[in-house]
Amino acid sequence: MQEFVSFGLHVALIRQLAWLPRGYDLVPAGTVVTSAKLRSIMLALEETNGPAVLVRLGRHLAAKEQEPVLTMLRHSATPSVIADRWRRLEGYSHARARSDFSITGKSMNIHRGVVRGQPPARVENLLLQGFLIGLLEAAGAENIDGTILPSHGPAIRVVRKGRINNKLDFTGRGLRFRINWNSFEPVSSSYPFMANMPGSAPSLGGQRPIVRQLCGVLEQDIGRSWSIDEVAAALDTSGRTLQRRLQQASNRFSDVLRIVRVREACRLLSGTSLSVGEIGFWCGFTDNAHFSRDFRRLMAMPPSVYREASISHAGLTRA
């Protein structure tokens, strides 16, 4: 649950309780929602409505809410990108539960484990299964089937052809589950909220044509864990050829990727109220330490100081 709380997704999750008859009764006014409290709310929800409601809630969250992190997760070109972003979100939020993904063809297997403490509760696993189904549907997957894979006994059907099994009933934590789809047609390849970067953002120097082309691809999905071969394929060339052309332009792929991400971070720090953590995740950094290190290297100050300086320069005061 930590990943939901750390990135403010618990607010959106609780908002989605509105469509339940007794949803708001589970969260009294003034409740401070920690990860433990959110887990207890989900336990009460399952006790009142059964396990299927958690799958439905996760799916609603992925499909309906417009929080920046959710928008970024939905704008994923492939199921593999969805998996990569969720793994990075878990690491960024220091979640105790971690998800191991195996994707082959039109199937995604998920195994939930921990880095410390007890294995994740079944309410977390059901919520996540619904959430991933919603993300896959938003990104372009159709006719989804979802099943829980218990340690012993037959698989347990959760979703069939996009329809949730409202009579879902099982014991155990549901640590392993599989999601299948009949077809996948990407809904959108463009990255949301792109705009001109502020003049104080780091420069890419001479802007040779190959560098501009590379930036164009990276900016289409700045939060993706790009490899040089993936970008080269988007440019109809090979990784080796792209690397050679960048060397001729006195640039390296890793340097261009870092600058593009820091440029976007500069724009978001100075022009939005997103938290520093949200911005680092949005821009594709592995964690806050990497974000701060790369930002300092290019801007000679940490992201928080850059934000304060941008606000002061604009003559603004914070509430």
Side-chain angles (χ1 to χ4, degrees):
M1 293 292 180
Q2 185 62 41
E3 56 270 28
F4 288 97
V5 173
S6 295
F7 282 84
L9 301 183
H10 65 292
V11 176
L13 191 61
I14 290 170
R15 210 162 31 230
Q16 284 300 316
L17 294 176
W19 54 267
L20 293 172
R22 294 181 54 200
Y24 279 140
D25 294 347
L26 301 173
V27 192
T31 300
V32 176
V33 181
T34 61
S35 57
K37 182 61 180 177
L38 184 58
R39 193 175 298 110
S40 70
I41 292 170
M42 295 300 108
L43 284 168
L45 185 62
E46 181 188 20
E47 185 178 352
T48 303
N49 300 277
V53 74
L54 295 166
V55 180
R56 195 177 304 278
L57 181 63
R59 190 185 195 181
H60 266 254
L61 177 67
K64 304 294 184 182
E65 289 288 336
Q66 300 302 315
E67 293 294 322
V69 169
L70 291 178
T71 302
M72 190 254 259
L73 289 167
R74 276 196 296 267
H75 280 72
S76 296
T78 66
S80 294
V81 173
I82 289 175
D84 175 72
R85 286 180 174 160
W86 180 256
R87 278 194 300 258
R88 194 159 54 82
L89 186 71
E90 288 177 336
Y92 225 109
S93 61
H94 304 291
R96 65 180 181 85
R98 300 298 169 92
S99 304
D100 180 43
F101 291 83
S102 174
I103 301 173
T104 55
K106 299 174 182 178
S107 180
M108 173 187 286
N109 286 332
I110 302 96
H111 185 193
R112 299 274 283 159
V114 290
V115 292
R116 63 185 185 278
Q118 294 293 316
R122 58 185 267 142
V123 291
E124 297 180 50
N125 301 324
L126 287 166
L127 185 68
L128 179 59
Q129 185 167 4
F131 186 65
L132 290 172
I133 287 170
L135 288 180
L136 285 164
E137 289 173 330
E142 296 184 347
N143 294 320
I144 285 181
D145 289 343
T147 53
I148 294 170
L149 307 174
S151 301
H152 304 285
I156 300 162
R157 181 75 68 181
V158 177
V159 176
R160 181 176 177 83
K161 304 300 181 187
R163 295 178 66 87
I164 295 174
N165 175 14
N166 291 319
K167 297 181 180 179
L168 177 63
D169 185 21
F170 72 103
T171 58
R173 292 179 181 268
L175 295 171
R176 295 174 60 244
F177 49 91
R178 176 184 297 134
I179 302 172
N180 299 323
W181 53 92
N182 283 351
S183 62
F184 186 89
E185 187 68 32
V187 172
S188 173
S189 61
S190 63
Y191 203 68
F193 305 149
M194 293 304 296
N196 293 329
M197 305 301 174
S200 58
S203 171
L204 277 163
Q207 287 281 328
R208 296 277 188 92
I210 185 59
V211 177
R212 289 199 299 270
Q213 293 168 16
L214 174 57
C215 290
V217 173
L218 297 175
E219 288 172 352
Q220 287 297 309
D221 199 346
I222 206 166
R224 183 170 173 175
S225 298
W226 287 103
S227 70
I228 192 168
D229 289 332
E230 289 173 329
V231 179
L235 293 172
D236 294 322
T237 187
S238 68
R240 188 183 297 271
T241 299
L242 176 58
Q243 194 169 38
R244 185 177 65 252
R245 293 181 65 189
L246 287 172
Q247 288 173 345
Q248 292 170 351
S250 300
N251 277 286
R252 295 187 303 175
F253 173 72
S254 58
D255 291 339
V256 175
L257 178 59
R258 182 181 300 113
I259 290 173
V260 167
R261 286 175 169 168
V262 171
R263 282 169 66 86
E264 174 69 350
C266 287
R267 182 183 76 83
L268 295 172
L269 287 164
S270 61
T272 75
S273 60
L274 295 175
S275 71
V276 171
E278 286 177 303
I279 290 170
F281 176 75
W282 177 276
C283 294
F285 293 97
T286 306
D287 51 39
N288 271 325
H290 284 86
F291 178 31
S292 181
R293 182 198 64 198
D294 286 356
F295 197 93
R296 281 173 176 267
R297 182 181 299 174
L298 290 170
M299 303 305 295
M301 66 182 77
S304 57
V305 174
Y306 178 89
R307 165 168 273 171
E308 293 296 337
S310 298
I311 293 172
S312 298
H313 181 72
L316 301 175
T317 58
R318 305 183 85 174

